[in-house]
Amino acid sequence: MRRASLAVVAWLVASAATAATPVERDLSAGWRFHLAPGAVPAIAQKAPTDWQPAIVPGAVQTDLLALGRIGDPFWRDNEAGLQWIGLADWDYQLSFDVDVAALKRGHVDLVFDGLDTFAEVSLNGKKLLAADNMFRRWRLPVKETLHPGSNTLLVHFQSPIARLQPWLLKQPYALPGEFDSSFGDEPKGKQTSNYVRKANYHYGWDWGPRYLAAGIWRPVRLESWDDLRLADFHIAQAKVDEANAHVEAQLDLRADKAGPVKVAVEWTAPNGTHGVQERDVALTVGENHVAVPIDIDHPQRWWPVGYGDPNLYRFHASVSTGGAMVADADRETGLRSVELRRDKDQWGRGFAFVVNGVPIFAKGANLIPFDSFPARVTPARMEALLRSARDANMNMLRMWGGGTYQDDAFYAAADRMGLMIWQDFMFGGAITPYDPAFRESSRVEAVEQVTRLRDHPSIVLWAGNNEVQTGWDSWPDREDFRKFVNADEVRRLDEGMRELFGKTLRKVVGDLSPQTPYWASSPSTDYDGEANVENDGDFHYWKVWSGSEPISHYLDVTPRFQSEYGLQSFPVMATIKAFAEAGDMAPESKVMRAHQKFANGDGNQRLLLYIRQEYGEPKDFPSFVYLSQVMQAEGIELAAEHLRSARPRSMGSLYWQLNDVWPGASWASVDYFNRWKALQFHAKRFYAPVDIVPLRRDGKTDVFAVSDRTADFEATLRTRVYDMGGKLLRDESQAVHAAALTSTSAGHFDDPTLLKGADPRHTVVAFDLVEKGQTVAHHLLYFGAARTLALPTPELATTLRDSGHGLVLTVTAKRLARGVWIDTGDLDVRLSDNAFDLLPGESVDIAIDGKVALDTLRHALSVRSLIDALKESQP
């Protein structure tokens, strides 16, 4: 209560001091919640019916957890026992004081940035709103409803299942959705998630739990203003090139009175140069759109990471009348041009991002939500994950459509780091209703989100949805659905999706952010033919993993842009211990199956299938965990390097997925605690600006020099052939002209040429790209799957020392070491490298990033290689 009263005092002081300017008052403190009256007895016994403290922004589950009323939702198999929370209705209440002076303002608006999801809002007993869209902002005029003294704000949240399931069961059919509930709260094939604008992943996905969160999930505040409000400030970029940036500062002003104002827009460049443009404007009553043209010579443009600096300009707009400022706003943005190039060529029709005229090979991953409960994700946590992406040489992340639009802080961090964001609208694969009300709610949502985010230079694409079109066209359950439903209804559904994704959302982006490309669906050809084809548009490839095909089949497809593909693994043991007990440490234990969401827990058998195909039999559970990561890392490396080697035919590699919403088995390369798996370390190498890529198939190896540099360079391809025991059999070099922004063929070898009679089971080839005496890329080649090789015991030796600038670990291998993994136990330190192979006699220095004493690290440290994880020695 003390925090709330202090906020009131601060608001009143600000009100008195700047009566003409808008004032915001945060309403986050002082909330209480309880189970809404009328709950079924089984639920009423579990939940507080008396008012209890609540955290806003937040969710019911996190409030119950903070009170100690439930166990950790991520611990062991607690998920099943907590499903009742999403089936109940909940009330949130806030009492706050307002004085007479505050009510003398011309307007007082109550603003909710996010309500999840079916929410009735009442103030002092008067119903103000029935919200039905998690992704909307709700602005409510409340001056006439407030009164001096204490006011009571009540938000009633209704369970989406309790609200929609009775209605759905009466319908002639249920639209095909994504994942059926494993907990019996919805009948199979009767998913309510299609019909509500709520984060799809809350209903459960094949990488995360089912938690139907409810609550005030984003900030809430009062905004007071008098005659004028600056509703939006946008920097529209009409044309940006090396010589000039022609932009337009656009202000949306809402005025109660007509009259003159002066609008001034100041800009400051990254190097400190600045300018100002002013305009006298005669406002009319109501909505006013004011444009102020600005020309900036030789702009410092925003570049993706690896291509230049992510330069940002600061813009400040002020509105004055009678010499007094009545409104102002700030924007930070990067000046750049972006194009989705779709040229026709010998391979079909391209799909390439072009920034400032430079074609960019997109290197990255798909991004899912950071947590099952998004309100507890901090800016620091988001920024740390983005740094992990940047540090692994990624330049693009795809914000997948089944989650949430992220906070402004996320996009601001991506702007600063030069990370491009492919932004899906929040449609995750389920078939959408065609009714006008659903479409209009989605349109308003899109208007609000594009308006909020359009000044972020990191956003280089808006995509209508994830897998809606390809699912409708080709997934078996959709094919069965179309046979069941009459042809007229099928046509209406198809036309409804085309209207929403092909026209409505496209128009929103075209009207509000025309400099940013729009793409109707991923994967698709933008409704210009069949979706998910190799020779046009973007492509999702899941025959490996979901179809159980061998990892080598990644070489069978060369799409124009591969926006999804993936292999699973478990996180490191330290993360597993955060959700499991010692007795749970087995792939088929109840808890491990609960934290494996693919195929209702059967995904662990899929992991074993791929581990056995490539490596052999794990000797124990930690070895299973380790081998799952080696398999994932080496498999995705093969796919990514194949795609990079095919540039410019292929212009993008976004693997599934970067991160996790909870600790468990998944396709992520960075786990829930931002610990890097083996794949993330491999990505740092296979996404490096320059890479040497040997691709072996059918006894023949093609070697490619892949370069993201914007200038050609001369190099040498060095080829060394080793016996795994330590003998160098051959060392040869040849010149390579590495062309800019492409993949250059650097050599072609058959097995007999490389081996020259050596035993392939005992032989490894090292390819190095050397520039001016320095190795700029390195890759090893083996003659078959690891289980077919005669891997030696490497006799790894380690030395840990304090360099004066931090701790350094040196790892040396007497003989070939495959899949070296350095484990630091429960210590949260970051290694400069890990998950690598060492040639016979080779050493590597690893820098340790983190506050840890040398002796503490020495006791926690362990190093293993592939040979240590297998149940029996290989042939």
Side-chain angles (χ1 to χ4, degrees):
M1 292 301 295
R2 177 171 171 79
R3 286 182 62 195
S5 63
L6 288 175
V8 172
V9 171
W11 186 56
L12 296 179
V13 169
S15 233
T18 58
T21 58
V23 175
E24 292 187 2
R25 174 186 172 186
D26 181 41
L27 291 182
S28 296
W31 285 87
R32 301 180 299 161
F33 83 113
H34 73 176
L35 182 70
V40 298
I43 290 179
Q45 293 175 4
K46 301 177 181 179
T49 55
D50 55 330
W51 291 105
Q52 295 291 327
I55 300 171
V56 170
V60 176
Q61 286 88 347
T62 52
D63 285 332
L64 292 170
L65 180 62
L67 291 172
R69 296 295 188 101
I70 63 171
D72 183 351
F74 295 167
W75 176 248
R76 302 193 75 230
D77 55 350
N78 280 355
E79 179 190 1
L82 299 178
Q83 294 305 305
W84 60 270
I85 302 169
L87 301 176
D89 293 355
W90 300 89
D91 290 331
Y92 278 71
Q93 185 183 86
L94 175 69
S95 295
F96 61 99
D97 291 338
V98 176
D99 77 348
V100 174
L103 294 177
K104 288 183 178 179
R105 301 301 299 265
H107 302 264
V108 182
D109 293 344
L110 175 63
V111 183
F112 289 95
D113 283 340
L115 293 168
D116 184 10
T117 293
F118 290 117
E120 293 184 357
V121 178
S122 300
L123 180 60
N124 295 328
K126 180 182 178 181
K127 182 178 176 180
L128 302 177
L129 170 70
D132 61 355
N133 187 324
M134 177 182 180
F135 309 117
R136 291 270 316 269
R137 171 180 288 168
W138 308 96
R139 178 179 291 275
L140 311 171
V142 294
K143 179 179 177 180
E144 303 305 321
T145 309
L146 291 168
H147 52 242
S150 181
N151 293 261
T152 300
L153 180 58
L154 179 68
V155 185
H156 174 74
F157 291 97
Q158 188 176 9
S159 162
I161 292 178
R163 174 168 174 149
L164 293 175
Q165 190 62 225
W167 167 83
L168 181 58
L169 294 177
K170 297 176 184 177
Q171 303 309 305
Y173 64 81
L175 291 170
E178 280 290 346
F179 297 97
D180 285 321
S181 173
S182 300
F183 305 106
D185 50 357
E186 290 189 293
K188 300 295 184 184
K190 300 288 184 179
Q191 298 174 21
T192 56
S193 59
N194 305 54
Y195 302 91
V196 56
R197 294 304 298 137
K198 176 177 173 61
N200 289 163
Y201 83 105
H202 281 177
Y203 292 82
W205 218 264
D206 56 3
W207 36 253
R210 181 180 176 93
Y211 281 120
L212 276 85
I216 305 169
W217 76 289
R218 280 190 162 159
V220 55
R221 61 190 175 278
L222 283 177
E223 292 186 5
S224 63
W225 51 288
D226 288 319
D227 299 329
L228 182 143
R229 183 168 72 88
L230 177 52
D232 186 55
F233 174 39
H234 166 52
I235 306 299
Q237 302 185 30
K239 182 181 179 182
V240 177
D241 58 29
E242 185 177 10
N244 180 266
H246 178 67
V247 304
E248 191 175 76
Q250 299 177 352
L251 292 78
D252 287 335
L253 300 170
R254 302 189 181 167
D256 289 346
K257 300 177 181 179
V261 297
K262 182 181 290 292
V263 175
V265 180
E266 302 174 64
W267 58 267
T268 303
N271 64 3
T273 59
H274 58 88
V276 62
Q277 292 288 330
E278 295 182 341
R279 182 181 171 191
D280 292 321
V281 178
L283 297 181
T284 60
V285 175
E287 308 291 331
N288 294 263
H289 183 76
V290 178
V292 180
I294 299 172
D295 282 300
I296 301 173
D297 290 333
H298 304 293
Q300 296 175 260
R301 290 177 291 177
W302 183 92
W303 289 95
V305 61
Y307 292 84
D309 294 329
N311 295 304
L312 296 173
Y313 279 72
R314 297 192 304 275
F315 292 84
H316 177 77
S318 60
V319 182
S320 304
T321 181
M325 188 180 71
V326 293
D328 70 332
D330 293 281
R331 280 288 179 269
E332 187 173 57
T333 190
L335 305 181
R336 55 98 176 101
S337 66
V338 60
E339 170 195 357
L340 182 58
R341 188 167 290 173
R342 305 276 287 118
D343 293 343
K344 292 184 178 180
D345 54 29
Q346 67 267 41
W347 303 295
R349 192 174 182 192
F351 188 102
F353 290 91
V354 180
V355 179
N356 299 329
V358 178
I360 310 292
F361 187 98
K363 304 179 298 187
N366 288 260
L367 194 71
I368 64 171
F370 297 85
D371 200 292
S372 292
F373 311 107
R376 65 183 184 181
V377 179
T378 63
R381 187 170 159 194
M382 290 187 289
E383 187 156 347
L385 186 65
L386 289 176
R387 282 198 303 271
S388 285
R390 182 201 60 194
D391 292 349
N393 289 307
M394 296 183 185
N395 60 28
M396 176 178 280
L397 297 173
R398 174 177 173 242
M399 181 60 67
W400 167 79
T404 64
Y405 307 94
Q406 296 302 309
D407 290 344
D408 296 82
F410 166 83
Y411 301 96
D415 294 343
R416 294 191 301 272
M417 294 184 196
L419 289 170
M420 297 182 290
I421 302 297
W422 166 321
Q423 179 66 54
D424 282 2
F425 285 100
M426 291 301 116
F427 297 89
I431 302 305
T432 53
Y434 58 75
D435 63 280
F438 182 91
R439 187 183 308 135
E440 176 60 13
S441 178
S442 300
R443 185 194 68 81
V444 176
E445 165 195 321
V447 167
E448 292 181 354
Q449 294 297 339
V450 173
T451 299
R452 177 174 73 95
L453 299 174
R454 60 185 171 175
D455 283 304
H456 291 287
S458 54
I459 298 178
V460 297
L461 184 75
W462 284 93
N465 64 71
N466 170 75
E467 294 186 343
V468 172
Q469 184 190 355
T470 190
W472 177 246
D473 289 348
S474 60
W475 291 0
D477 66 324
R478 273 70 164 160
E479 292 175 349
D480 292 342
F481 174 82
R482 289 198 299 274
K483 295 174 184 176
F484 170 75
V485 178
N486 70 68
D488 287 342
E489 191 70 354
V490 169
R491 176 184 53 79
R492 283 189 286 269
L493 285 165
D494 185 76
E495 290 177 350
M497 287 182 283
R498 289 176 179 270
E499 180 68 30
L500 176 58
F501 301 119
K503 297 179 181 179
T504 302
L505 299 182
R506 189 188 305 276
K507 186 176 188 304
V508 169
V509 175
D511 288 347
L512 298 175
S513 187
Q515 76 280 2
T516 307
Y518 175 80
W519 191 246
S521 184
S522 180
S524 80
T525 54
D526 203 29
Y527 280 125
D528 187 20
E530 185 181 353
N532 210 35
V533 294
E534 287 185 60
N535 64 349
D536 191 357
D538 71 314
F539 190 73
H540 293 188
Y541 184 66
W542 284 105
K543 288 184 178 180
V544 176
W545 181 264
S546 294
S548 298
E549 291 191 356
I551 288 172
S552 62
H553 284 200
Y554 277 133
L555 300 177
D556 292 343
V557 294
T558 310
R560 308 314 307 264
F561 191 108
Q562 195 149 294
S563 47
E564 276 194 26
Y565 63 101
L567 290 165
Q568 268 203 8
S569 73
F570 265 79
V572 296
M573 290 300 298
T575 295
I576 295 172
K577 291 174 183 177
F579 69 79
E581 295 176 342
D584 302 323
M585 302 298 177
E588 291 301 300
S589 74
K590 183 179 180 182
V591 169
M592 290 306 149
R593 289 182 61 86
H595 284 254
Q596 166 58 272
K597 292 302 179 181
F598 180 76
N600 295 313
D602 290 343
N604 292 339
Q605 289 301 313
R606 187 68 53 86
L607 277 171
L608 281 166
L609 169 72
Y610 280 106
I611 290 170
R612 288 163 177 159
Q613 281 182 355
E614 297 296 323
Y615 306 100
E617 192 70 25
K619 69 179 183 182
D620 53 25
F621 181 73
S623 297
F624 161 75
V625 169
Y626 158 81
L627 287 169
S628 75
Q629 290 201 23
V630 175
M631 178 276 297
Q632 179 194 38
E634 294 189 347
I636 298 302
E637 179 177 274
L638 177 69
E641 292 194 323
H642 164 59
L643 295 170
R644 291 193 72 190
S645 76
R647 180 178 181 168
R649 178 178 178 180
S650 179
M651 285 300 290
S653 162
L654 305 180
Y655 65 74
W656 188 269
Q657 63 209 55
L658 178 65
N659 63 313
D660 274 330
V661 298
W662 79 329
S666 81
W667 295 266
S669 58
V670 177
D671 74 21
Y672 178 75
F673 298 109
N674 198 28
R675 292 169 175 148
W676 285 26
K677 296 184 184 179
L679 171 55
Q680 191 73 3
F681 288 102
H682 276 242
K684 184 178 180 180
R685 297 190 287 270
F686 64 66
Y687 279 155
V690 174
D691 194 14
I692 191 72
V693 178
L695 297 177
R696 179 178 177 271
R697 194 168 194 183
D698 299 327
K700 298 177 181 179
T701 299
D702 290 296
V703 182
F704 301 89
V706 178
S707 176
D708 292 336
R709 295 184 186 177
T710 56
D712 298 359
F713 67 97
E714 302 302 324
T716 300
L717 174 65
R718 184 185 183 192
T719 304
R720 290 173 290 163
V721 182
Y722 281 91
D723 176 87
M724 293 180 185
K727 184 179 180 181
L728 177 63
L729 303 178
R730 196 164 65 262
D731 189 343
E732 300 173 348
S733 295
Q734 63 190 73
V736 175
H737 176 78
L741 298 172
T742 196
S743 171
T744 301
S745 177
H748 177 80
F749 308 88
D750 57 25
D751 285 356
T753 300
L754 287 172
L755 290 166
K756 292 189 182 301
D759 185 344
R761 299 181 308 150
H762 293 266
T763 306
V764 58
V765 182
F767 292 102
D768 294 279
L769 196 65
V770 181
E771 180 189 21
K772 296 178 181 178
Q774 298 295 317
T775 298
V776 294
H778 170 75
H779 211 300
L780 299 187
L781 175 75
Y782 298 97
F783 296 90
R787 62 178 173 78
T788 68
L789 303 177
L791 295 174
T793 301
E795 292 191 30
L796 292 170
T798 61
T799 303
L800 185 62
R801 70 185 189 279
D802 190 336
S803 69
H805 303 285
L807 300 183
V808 175
L809 175 70
T810 300
V811 182
T812 303
K814 184 176 181 179
R815 288 174 285 274
L816 176 80
R818 179 85 180 263
V820 175
W821 180 256
I822 304 161
D823 194 292
T824 58
D826 296 334
L827 298 178
D828 272 323
V829 296
R830 178 67 54 81
L831 307 182
S832 61
D833 202 3
N834 206 346
F836 49 79
D837 295 356
L838 286 176
L839 289 167
E842 189 176 16
S843 293
V844 62
D845 289 338
I846 309 295
I848 311 295
D849 183 12
K851 296 181 179 179
V852 60
L854 189 147
D855 285 343
T856 302
L857 180 59
R858 181 177 286 118
H859 284 99
L861 196 69
S862 63
V863 181
R864 71 187 311 167
S865 69
L866 194 61
I867 197 71
D868 303 316
L870 300 171
K871 184 168 286 187
E872 54 189 41
S873 61
Q874 300 304 290

